[in-house]
Amino acid sequence: MKAIRNATLVMRDHLIPDGVILIEDGKIISFGERKHMTIPEECEEVVDAEGNFVGTGFIDIHPHSDVEVFFQDDPVRASQHHLKHGTTTVLPALYYSMTAEEYVRVIRILRKAMENPDCANIAGLYMEGPYLNPKFGCDRESNPWKEPVAQKNYMPIIEEAWDLAKVWALAPEREHILDFVQDVRKKNPAAVFSVAHSEATPQQVEALMPYGLKIGTHHTNATGTLDKYPECRGVCVDEAVNYNPEIYAELICDSRGIHVDPYMLRLVRKIKGDDRIILISDAYACDGPIPPGYEDVFDINFDHTGEIAGSKMTLDIACRNMMKHTGASVVDVFRFASYNPACAVGFYDRGEIATGKRADLVIVDHNITIKDVILKGELQK
């Protein structure tokens, strides 16, 4: 048995000061205020949180890299980078610039990597493709999936990724996309879909909700069009995500509010409520030129054309930025970065401090600076 003491426990909707957590076999077996708890003498390890916050480990459902290398190129390096920043569950994101053969090769690499204890935080995949709208996203001229949706082209990917792919991002306006969705569901009825890189109408988005569409990929990024009439603002993907309470909104929260303007962050939070916001890093590996006016930007990437290409963040940084831009509390950002993503993709064994849940925990100060990381009950060195 292990214990954490002298902690401010971050619960789903409140704090427990002077808290204690007891851990056994990688799971939380008890928790509460010290005055109501007894740490057994047989505890083999007692971690003193020194009054800091203890919350559940972050769950990043959408990172591509450790900023310099993609997960498939060095899975240990990428997964350890995120783990050191408090991300105890990660879904490597595979981008639509790959051919079917490349997708299959990369999926096999990451499946093998999941057997490595150094990649213990990898819990599946986030498939950002193959069928997105070719008008959107970085490096879009390299998109090999501009041809019509065809089973003979996509089935090798589904066959390889079916049990690992927790989320399939897609553009609902692609012709015959329902065929793709149904084939994914035949292999994995629990698969989740996300609207991404899309100019779909709200009706096209909503048509896929009965089939498991429940996330808006990097909300307000790589979506459009709004010019239904020259003098009027139309509606598109962002409005559909905002309007439907069942859909979670992924947010890339960088320091300058470039991916999502701080005012928009506050608006989305007001519309969606704290139960439907997911913070993601969208960490990418790209070293394109920095456009004029962005010379001081340190936490986002640009492709070779100077277009935004994901971030250089981890979720601890995203949480810190969300607090700055929206006034969110420590409790709120742990919900956005742990509990909500766990619910969205079906990781019901983690994401909150509760008896029987996995002991994936982080110790942080009031600025979400990582002090310690605990994965499956083991303190990471």
Side-chain angles (χ1 to χ4, degrees):
M1 185 183 296
K2 302 174 184 178
I4 302 173
R5 67 178 182 87
N6 193 19
T8 301
L9 305 185
V10 183
M11 310 304 290
R12 282 169 53 184
D13 55 7
H14 66 288
L15 299 171
I16 298 178
D18 196 15
V20 173
I21 299 179
L22 299 182
I23 299 167
E24 192 168 41
D25 297 327
K27 295 183 178 181
I28 298 168
I29 61 169
S30 186
F31 65 92
E33 287 188 72
R34 181 175 61 87
K35 63 184 179 181
H36 301 306
M37 298 283 293
T38 300
I39 298 178
E41 292 183 2
E42 63 268 24
C43 265
E44 57 196 49
E45 183 177 14
V46 178
V47 176
D48 186 350
E50 300 180 346
N52 287 300
F53 295 103
V54 175
T56 45
F58 303 132
I59 299 174
D60 193 349
I61 66 171
H62 190 158
H64 297 266
S65 77
D66 74 342
V67 176
E68 294 185 1
V69 299
F70 291 105
F71 270 90
Q72 61 265 28
D73 296 329
D74 195 336
V76 171
R77 171 177 166 168
S79 60
Q80 285 293 309
H81 171 77
H82 287 275
L83 182 62
K84 289 175 182 176
H85 286 270
T87 299
T88 53
T89 299
V90 65
L91 299 183
L94 305 185
Y95 198 49
Y96 74 162
S97 56
M98 290 186 283
T99 64
E101 292 76 16
E102 289 170 328
Y103 264 120
V104 169
R105 177 182 64 82
V106 166
I107 293 164
R108 289 175 179 171
I109 289 172
L110 292 172
R111 185 184 293 276
K112 182 66 175 177
M114 291 174 67
E115 300 173 6
N116 187 334
D118 290 333
C119 296
N121 57 338
I122 298 179
L125 300 173
Y126 186 106
M127 305 297 290
E128 194 171 8
Y131 291 115
L132 309 183
N133 190 312
K135 296 180 183 178
F136 299 96
C138 70
D139 196 28
R140 52 183 170 270
E141 61 276 2
S142 302
N143 181 3
W145 297 92
K146 297 178 182 179
E147 298 301 318
V149 175
Q151 189 181 59
K152 63 182 178 62
N153 295 331
Y154 66 68
M155 276 310 296
I157 303 174
I158 294 176
E159 294 285 351
E160 196 65 42
W162 70 275
D163 58 330
L164 295 186
K166 306 303 180 183
V167 180
W168 293 83
L170 49 78
E173 70 271 23
R174 292 290 298 263
E175 190 175 5
H176 304 304
I177 196 66
L178 184 57
D179 295 340
F180 173 78
V181 168
Q182 290 177 324
D183 281 332
V184 168
R185 302 264 307 174
K186 286 176 186 175
K187 291 292 294 184
N188 182 7
V192 172
F193 296 93
S194 179
V195 54
H197 295 237
S198 172
E199 57 182 358
T201 65
Q203 291 73 27
Q204 289 171 321
V205 174
E206 291 168 355
L208 294 183
M209 290 175 63
Y211 299 92
L213 190 151
K214 59 190 295 189
I215 299 174
T217 293
H218 43 57
H219 186 43
T220 77
N221 295 136
T223 55
T225 54
L226 290 170
D227 53 346
K228 183 176 181 180
Y229 303 105
E231 68 277 11
C232 300
R233 179 183 176 90
V235 292
C236 67
V237 173
D238 300 334
E239 285 69 28
V241 172
N242 284 339
Y243 181 78
N244 287 279
E246 301 89 344
I247 300 179
Y248 291 84
E250 291 180 1
L251 295 173
I252 307 171
C253 195
D254 57 65
S255 61
R256 283 262 304 268
I258 293 171
H259 281 90
V260 189
D261 186 276
Y263 194 94
M264 180 64 76
L265 288 169
R266 296 191 289 272
L267 176 62
V268 171
R269 188 179 175 201
K270 187 172 185 177
I271 294 171
K272 296 302 299 178
D274 289 347
D275 290 335
R276 288 297 182 269
I277 289 174
I278 295 174
L279 289 178
I280 61 168
S281 69
D282 198 17
Y284 203 74
C286 203
D287 58 358
I290 298 175
Y294 293 90
E295 290 84 3
D296 64 334
V297 174
F298 63 91
D299 56 2
I300 67 174
N301 285 310
F302 301 93
D303 68 14
H304 66 279
T305 68
E307 183 160 336
I308 293 174
S311 89
K312 297 180 180 180
M313 296 190 300
T314 44
L315 283 190
D316 54 339
I317 299 171
C319 286
R320 194 176 306 135
N321 291 336
M322 190 70 174
M323 293 170 74
K324 177 179 74 172
H325 293 319
T326 72
S329 70
V330 170
V331 170
D332 297 329
V333 295
F334 268 95
R335 177 182 285 268
F336 304 155
S338 188
Y339 181 73
N340 288 353
C343 292
V345 300
F347 289 142
Y348 300 117
D349 63 340
R350 66 198 79 175
E352 64 176 322
I353 294 176
T355 301
K357 299 287 186 177
R358 258 178 46 165
D360 291 350
L361 302 162
V362 292
I363 302 176
V364 302
D365 66 13
H366 67 285
N367 285 321
I368 318 296
T369 303
I370 303 295
K371 303 295 184 179
D372 283 300
V373 179
I374 297 168
L375 176 64
K376 298 180 183 177
E378 298 295 326
L379 185 66
Q380 302 300 292
K381 305 300 183 181

